[in-house]
Amino acid sequence: MKMEVSIKESVDELLDTKIFKTIEERNGEKFSIKLAFWLVRYVLMISSMRETLGINFESILIKLHGEDNFKRILELTENMFFKIYEQLNKKC
């Protein structure tokens, strides 16, 4: 049985999370709403590609962004999370 997904309801649920409340405090309401809508649409598109094409998550991201951009995104996020981890360890 397939469930219909309401983008508006999904965005509202996302905006009600702690992480999005923090994003709103730091970047403003308009930014957080746009980000939430973009993420919900992106998630629905990726899951739809998975269902239709039957390929793995990484292959979907490579198809969407290209292999070089995908690798760059991974590199940037890994570096960012490593720096955050280091900063948290210095505080302890």
Side-chain angles (χ1 to χ4, degrees):
M1 182 171 118
K2 289 188 179 185
M3 290 179 42
E4 291 298 318
V5 177
S6 163
I7 292 175
K8 174 73 170 110
E9 287 175 9
S10 298
V11 167
D12 289 343
E13 288 177 17
L14 192 53
L15 290 170
D16 200 34
T17 63
K18 186 176 180 180
I19 191 168
F20 265 83
K21 288 179 183 193
T22 301
I23 290 169
E24 184 177 340
E25 287 174 14
R26 295 170 132 186
N27 297 287
E29 181 181 19
K30 188 175 180 179
F31 178 86
S32 63
I33 290 170
K34 283 183 176 184
L35 178 60
F37 268 103
W38 188 87
L39 287 172
V40 168
R41 287 191 299 247
Y42 190 72
V43 166
L44 290 173
M45 182 178 57
I46 288 173
S47 66
S48 182
M49 287 178 74
R50 167 71 173 134
E51 182 180 18
T52 304
L53 302 174
I55 57 178
N56 68 32
F57 183 73
E58 290 78 10
S59 296
I60 292 169
L61 293 179
I62 289 170
K63 282 188 178 294
L64 289 173
H65 301 289
E67 191 163 349
D68 290 340
N69 286 337
F70 175 68
K71 288 178 182 178
R72 184 73 179 136
I73 290 167
L74 284 178
E75 183 182 305
L76 288 170
T77 55
E78 288 292 321
N79 288 338
M80 181 184 70
F81 288 124
F82 180 74
K83 287 177 184 176
I84 291 169
Y85 177 77
E86 282 184 325
Q87 289 173 352
L88 290 174
N89 281 337
K90 286 180 184 178
K91 288 181 181 179
C92 295

